[in-house]
């Protein structure tokens, strides 16, 4: 079919080559080539074809997902794809917006066994895991316990007589709840439980627990396991529950690389438990990247559709304009587009930093870890909150059709939104970052210098000596210069960190306990963390510009970077005004400049989403199709809806007809 | 809740007793919950009636919603039809009527999960747009369900801009019929409820052509399905538009018309008529059409926004006193999550907003009633104001409400994501209200147009409607507050809102004028100011909401217990708005930086005060457990037990999935290649 004329015009008018930007996002032209090659393997493979998942019941969707998961295992092996990035490319084109029930097997289950087992345990379990002779998951969260790990209630009591652990779920709140793949798929689970030996509780430890019979897949005696029921999204995933009643496992099933229980029940303490930090940092950094990608997909759909959709009139007597020509529509979408780019660069930065220092971590040098840990916690929360709201805004910007499942945005939203909760609840994450910020502030106050992203706090003491400093700053901000805007964000972060730290101190002075004072300051602390993360993002985006060699691409990214920074100011004017960083007049200029940038970015909007280079199969959206033939395909899609299977629905015979004949 | 015996899991013995963590919240209420409920209902007698209706509905197993979250699209649709049919019988039995006081309570008890809601719009549009003769013919057929109607306006390519609709109706003088056609794929009717599967008839909006001349949009009654066997009529293509985020029980439909002929008498002709010789006659004023839209938007605020928001608050707040997580003090038990300031700061402003919008919905209803009386006296003066109000508040309240429900959902952590929490479906439903009955941005711009006009009039000394006289009022340049307690004075914060709204409207008006004077065409200037205009319209509605809340509290002096807590909520609603929009209050120096710190301090103090009454404040909404349909929000607070028992009923646990035999087993045994 021909490409929609509006989109053709949009693409012809772009001032840069989208492929060049794609290469930057992929990390080089060669990587783009390889990614496309891998995607083609899936797209051209008839085995991966299936009906639109939106037309299936949950049980059917689960079945499809299992079919695909199993196929992927085989095909990846067949093609010899083993690089993590390449596996990721293969899987995401295969899964679209959806999770896979084997997800936890290949991530947490395998990773935990690789890192927390003894050599003997590795020898026994890893071949089974790699060969998918067993399927496992990771059961930590309980119905009544998530954030506060020490509060988990599941127990593992050592019985020296039989050299076994006895696992129990003593209360309803202690039932394991939520682990992916637990309900129906897995036959093993790593279970976190409070270890009791020789009458003493030794805290949380990990155990390998078989839960289903190999061969029949029936739950083992003493195990109650099942699916936790329907959710907002994740229909493919059998998030499960697990209840254990005096379930016995051999002593060797405790993961013993660090802590150990000897045959007689003697407990041997671990040396250090900081190493688990690294995994968390890694997983949270993935969420930052995922925020970028999910938001990018929603932007692609909303912007392409806004170029195809015509509505109302801008000029009397003229044809209906593309809705993308309305200022209000641009104001909804372009700041999100800029945000998506910002998050891409931040995600890449965190990933690189993690890889750079993970060598040190393995050597036991943890010096850079606290800052990276604090930074990823905050950025995970900041980016997932922003992307979550942004995806919703994109859906809203598509009007009624955005609400239809055919738009694909509902699926992106419901799949993405739990990332605000999992791997660290966002508010809790922000408070962890705040703890680091307050600590750094306290160091500075006591005369020590701090390094890294928080080094701006060092300036605070200087400002106190020169009271004019802050006021003088306001005139200095140049609103067309990203570097100057980084300074403005820095000043805002410094001011909010200082305010939160001072409020905390004031609460402490009111004879409050440390915990009360912290709690009574937590709203301020979250604001401080947000301002810090916002600063880091503007800084990283700005730094990225210098690395871009192609002038046309650099120009358009500079516009996006400016829009990102200025829009952020216009949404948080209170902070900038109150701190005296910007004047009323400058705020008015900022607001004006944001609107000018919308008009400047407008001609490149479609090319900027094309650069994300999402294949239609991955996008899974009728509204966001590359060719823009939206309406014809909506009709084709609707005809396949389950309600349309028969021309006269059975409800007519069951209910309508009897009613009409009775009345 | 120590459940060490396995038997107790299946028996559910804790259900029926109240969780002590929620019981203790109720012992310390600062006011009488029952009195607040009665006051919200508009009197104890109304409360009694509401409870009677809700109980009658809930006792009837046909109306059960227990399996709602487990249903497929087909099952939901069938259930909605079954309920709608059964409801007719029930209403007859109970002596309830469609326009009686009970209907609102029925709707509340069923949470709107009912088919044939568009049938009601069908009836209403014929009553408003039809001639007496048409009313006499069609209304009895519709009310007795001899036919099922729908209302087809929106097209695949056209929503907001009605003039752009493409469906045509050409008058054929020789047969005295209209010939209806869908000329393009984008002209297909798309979205109308009840049309995909149920409706036999629908009101179709089409461009009327007589002798080659277009007369604009007109409504026509078109039969689409056979009354005998429900098959599609000749020339009709119709079906369901496929799965959506919610409203799976409603068969939103598409409709394509190919040379479909309807008799001349099927054009609804109260205002316009085509005579047999093709003469087009217009009569009466169509202004009343506006009024219908106004009615729908106002009733939607209460039914589709305020009630779902109240439910979401009930669920999230009750859950937050049952859920314990982490420790506030070492050596103590884990704390209720509602004791964390951050959790209070998420939920309590939404609770205050639920009350604020409940009151604004009453206010709008009253304004509307007054307008209606005037219109009956043929005085249309209030129409522009009513229209502007209904548009602006529809937009502001739906948007605010959607974000509030989302906050409630996210504040419940992982369990909020389970459909069994009830929150996802509340969210996806309220979300749709931002689009239907007028897209919000468009509506805000309509309100802005009215405000700019009033501002211009007021500044040249002309009279303007009472709600906008403030645009010309002289206010102090600076906020007079001296300490944080001053910000608990309604005069202080109401004035701050007034100043802020007036400033945004006047500065936008000035910008518009500047642009026009500098030679920019009027429509271009308008488009260049739309971001600001929408902001100004929202500010106006926010101001009126705060002012109305403060006035409502003032009128409560006969009930001091309730007045006190309502005053706290009013303060919280107002200060939360200033705290979260600090920039617009600081911008021209009306509120100083030091004053903003006072606002923040007072705002955070209020959280701790309202925290103590949070559970009684949601109890006062008086939702039954069945209405909430939530594992997290039930009155007894037995969250975990309910969640566990309910999850076991999921079809994924009851039906054998073929996934293991078909895929997992071969994979584990490495015989997948045989697939």
């Amino acid at each position: 079919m021909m490409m929609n004329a509006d989109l053709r015009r949009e693409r012809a008018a772009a001032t840069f080559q989208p492929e060049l930007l794609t290469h930057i996002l992929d990390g080089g032209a060669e990587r783009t080539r390889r990614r496309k090659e891998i995607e083609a393997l899936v797209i051209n493979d008839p085995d991966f074809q299936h009906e639109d998942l939106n037309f299936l019941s949950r049980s059917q969707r689960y079945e499809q997902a299992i079919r695909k998961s199993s196929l992927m295992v085989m095909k990846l092996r067949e093609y010899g794809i083993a690089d993590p990035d390449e596996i990721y490319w293969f899987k995401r084109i295969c899964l679209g917006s959806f999770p896979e029930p084997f997800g936890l097997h290949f991530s947490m289950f395998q990773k935990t066994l690789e890192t927390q087992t003894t050599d003997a345990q590795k020898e026994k379990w890893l071949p089974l895991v790699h060969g998918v002779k067993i399927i496992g998951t990771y059961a930590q969260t309980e119905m009544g316990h998530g954030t506060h790990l020490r509060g988990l209630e599941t127990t593992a009591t050592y019985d020296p007589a039989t050299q076994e652990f006895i696992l129990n779920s003593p209360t309803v709140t202690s039932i394991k709840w939520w682990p992916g793949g637990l309900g129906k798929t897995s036959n093993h689970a790593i279970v976190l439980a409070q270890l009791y030996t020789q009458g003493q509780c030794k805290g949380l430890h990990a155990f390998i627990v078989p839960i289903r019979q190999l061969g029949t897949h029936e739950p083992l005696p003493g195990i109650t396991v099942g699916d936790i029921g329907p959710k907002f999204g994740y229909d493919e995933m059998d998030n499960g529950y697990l209840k254990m009643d005096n379930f016995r496992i051999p002593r060797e099933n405790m993961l013993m690389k660090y802590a150990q229980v000897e045959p007689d029940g003697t407990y041997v303490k671990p040396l250090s438990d900081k190493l688990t930090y690294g995994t968390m940092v890694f997983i949270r950094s993935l969420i930052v990247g995922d925020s970028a990608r999910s938001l990018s997909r929603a932007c692609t759909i909303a912007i392409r559709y806004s170029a195809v959709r015509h509505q109302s009139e801008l000029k009397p007597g003229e044809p209906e304009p593309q809705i993308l020509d309305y200022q209000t529509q641009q104001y909804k979408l372009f700041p999100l587009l800029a945000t998506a780019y910002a998050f891409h660069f931040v995600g890449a930065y965190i990933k690189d930093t993690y890889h750079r220092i993970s060598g040190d971590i393995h050597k036991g040098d943890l010096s850079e870890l606290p800052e990276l840990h604090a930074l990823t916690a905050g950025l995970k929360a900041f980016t997932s909150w922003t992307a979550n709201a942004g995806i919703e805004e994109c859906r809203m910007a598509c009007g009624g059709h955005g609400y239809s499942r055919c738009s694909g945005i509902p699926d992106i939203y419901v799949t993405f939104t739990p990332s605000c909760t999992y791997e660290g609840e966002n508010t809790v994450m922000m408070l962890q970052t705040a703890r680091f910020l307050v600590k750094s502030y306290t160091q500075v106050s006591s005369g020590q210098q701090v390094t890294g992203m928080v080094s701006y706090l060092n300036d605070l003491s200087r400002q106190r000596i020169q009271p004019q400093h802050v006021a003088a700053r306001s005139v200095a901000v140049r609103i067309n210069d990203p570097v100057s805007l980084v300074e403005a964000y820095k000043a805002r972060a410094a001011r909010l960190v200082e305010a939160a730290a001072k409020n905390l101190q004031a609460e402490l002075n009111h004879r409050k306990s440390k915990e009360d004072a912290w709690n009574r300051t937590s709203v301020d602390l979250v604001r401080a963390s947000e301002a810090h993360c916002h600063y880091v993002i503007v800084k990283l985006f700005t730094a990225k510009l210098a690395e871009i060699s192609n002038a046309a691409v650099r120009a358009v990214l500079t516009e996006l970077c400016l829009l990102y920074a200025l829009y952020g100011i216009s949404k948080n004017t209170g902070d900038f005004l109150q701190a005296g960083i910007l004047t009323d007049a400058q705020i008015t200029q900022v607001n004006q400049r944001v609107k000018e940038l919308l008009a400047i970015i407008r001609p490149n909007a479609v090319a900027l989403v094309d650069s994300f280079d999402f294949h239609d199969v991955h996008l899974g959206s009728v509204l966001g199709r590359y060719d823009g033939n939206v309406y014809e395909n909506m009709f084709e899609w609707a005809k396949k809806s389950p309600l349309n299977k028969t021309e006269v629905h059975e409800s007519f015979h069951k209910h309508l007809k009897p009613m009409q004949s009775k009345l | 809740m120590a459940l060490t015996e396995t038997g107790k899991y299946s028996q559910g013995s804790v259900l029926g007793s109240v969780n002590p963590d929620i019981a203790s919240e109720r012992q310390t209420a600062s006011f009488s919950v029952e009195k607040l409920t009665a006051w919200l209902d508009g009197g104890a007698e109304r409360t009694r009636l509401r409870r009677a209706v809700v109980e009658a509905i809930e006792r009837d197993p046909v109306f059960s919603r227990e399996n709602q979250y487990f249903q497929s699209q087909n099952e939901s649709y069938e259930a909605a039809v079954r309920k709608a049919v059964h409801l007719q019988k029930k209403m007859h039995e109970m002596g309830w009527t469609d326009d009686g006081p009970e209907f609102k309570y029925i709707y509340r008890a069923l949470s709107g999960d009912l088919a044939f809601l568009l049938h009601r719009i069908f009836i209403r549009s014929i009553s408003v747009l039809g001639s007496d003769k048409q009313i006499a013919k069609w209304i009895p057929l519709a009310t007795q369900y001899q036919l099922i109607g729908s209302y087809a306006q929106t097209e695949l390519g056209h929503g907001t801009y009605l003039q752009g609709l493409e469906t045509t109706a050409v008058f054929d003088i020789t047969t005295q019929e209209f010939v209806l056609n869908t000329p393009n794929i984008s002209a297909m009717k798309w979205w109308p409820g009840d049309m995909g599967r149920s409706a036999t008839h629908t009101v179709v909006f089409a461009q009327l052509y007589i002798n080659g001349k277009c007369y604009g949009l007109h409504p026509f009654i078109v039969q689409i399905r056979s009354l005998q066997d429900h098959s599609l009529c000749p020339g009709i293509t119709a079906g369901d538009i496929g799965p959506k985020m919610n409203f799976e029980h409603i068969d939103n439909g598409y409709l394509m018309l190919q040379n479909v002929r309807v008799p001349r008498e099927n054009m609804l002709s109260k205002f316009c008529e085509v005579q047999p010789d093709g003469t087009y006659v217009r009569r009466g004023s169509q202004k009343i059409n506006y009024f219908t839209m106004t009615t729908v938007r106002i009733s939607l605020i209460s039914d589709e926004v305020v009630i779902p928001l109240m439910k979401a608050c009930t669920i999230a707040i009750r859950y937050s006193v049952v859920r314990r997580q982490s420790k506030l003090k070492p050596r103590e038990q884990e704390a209720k999550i509602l004791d964390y300031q951050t959790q209070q700061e998420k939920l309590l402003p939404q609770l205050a907003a639920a009350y604020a919008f409940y009151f604004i919905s009453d206010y709008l209803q009253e304004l509307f009633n007054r307008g209606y009386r005037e219109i009956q006296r043929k005085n249309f003066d209030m129409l522009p104001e009513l229209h502007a109000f209904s548009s602006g508040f529809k937009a502001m309240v739906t948007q605010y409400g959607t974000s509030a429900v989302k906050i409630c959902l996210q504040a419940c952590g992982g369990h909020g994501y389970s459909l069994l929490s009830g929150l996802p479906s509340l969210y996806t439903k309220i979300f749709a209200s931002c689009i239907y009955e007028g897209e919000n941005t468009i509506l805000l711009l309509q309100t802005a147009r009215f405000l700019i006009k009033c501002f211009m009039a007021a500044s040249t000394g002309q009279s303007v409607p009472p709600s906008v006289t403030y645009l010309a009022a002289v206010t102090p340049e600076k906020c007079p507050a001296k300490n944080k307690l001053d910000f608990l004075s309604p005069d202080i914060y109401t004035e701050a809102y007034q100043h802020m709204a007036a400033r945004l409207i006047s500065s936008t008006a000035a910008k518009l004028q500047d642009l026009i004077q500098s030679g920019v065409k009027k429509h271009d200037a308008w488009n260049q100011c739309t971001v600001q205009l929408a902001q100004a319209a929202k500010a106006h509605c926010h101001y009126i909401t705060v002012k109305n809340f403060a006035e409502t509290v003032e009128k409560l002096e006969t009930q001091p217990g309730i007045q006190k807590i309502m005053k706290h909520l009013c303060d919280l609603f107002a200060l939360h708005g200033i705290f979260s929009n600090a920039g617009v209050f600081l911008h021209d120096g009306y509120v100083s930086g030091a004053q903003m710190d006072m606002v923040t301090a007072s705002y955070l103090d209020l959280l701790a005060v309202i925290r103590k009454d949070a559970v009684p404040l949601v109890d006062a909404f008086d939702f039954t457990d069945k209405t909430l349909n939530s594992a997290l929000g039930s009155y007894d607070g037995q969250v975990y037990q309910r969640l566990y028992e309910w999850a076991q009923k999921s079809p994924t646990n009851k039906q054998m999935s073929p996934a293991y035999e078909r895929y997992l087993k071969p994979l584990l045994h490495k015989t997948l290649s045989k697939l």
Side-chain angles (χ1 to χ4, degrees), chain B residues 53 87-88 91 96-110 114 117 120 303:
Chain B
V53 170
L87 183 63
Q88 298 313 312
M91 290 180 68
W96 298 335
T97 58
D98 271 357
D99 44 11
E102 296 92 353
F103 196 80
K104 167 165 112 172
Y105 302 140
I106 295 170
Y107 192 81
R108 172 174 156 135
L110 294 169
L114 206 57
L117 294 174
R120 299 170 66 83
D303 297 343

Side-chain angles (χ1 to χ4, degrees), chain B residues 605-621:
Chain B
D605 287 348
L606 275 168
L607 295 176
V609 174
I610 294 167
R611 155 70 187 90
K612 295 185 196 121
D613 279 323
V615 168
L617 279 168
V618 297
D619 285 352
F621 297 147

Side-chain angles (χ1 to χ4, degrees), chain A residues 25-59:
Chain A
L25 293 172
D26 278 331
E30 172 53 25
R31 276 171 62 89
T32 301
R33 191 200 60 75
R34 179 64 179 148
R35 173 175 59 75
K36 283 179 177 286
E37 185 177 71
I38 285 174
E39 287 175 354
L41 291 176
V42 176
I43 293 160
N44 300 326
D45 187 340
D47 287 351
F48 284 118
Q49 306 299 317
H50 56 80
E51 199 179 346
D52 189 313
L53 296 171
N54 279 302
F55 297 142
L56 304 181
S57 74
R58 220 196 124 215
S59 292

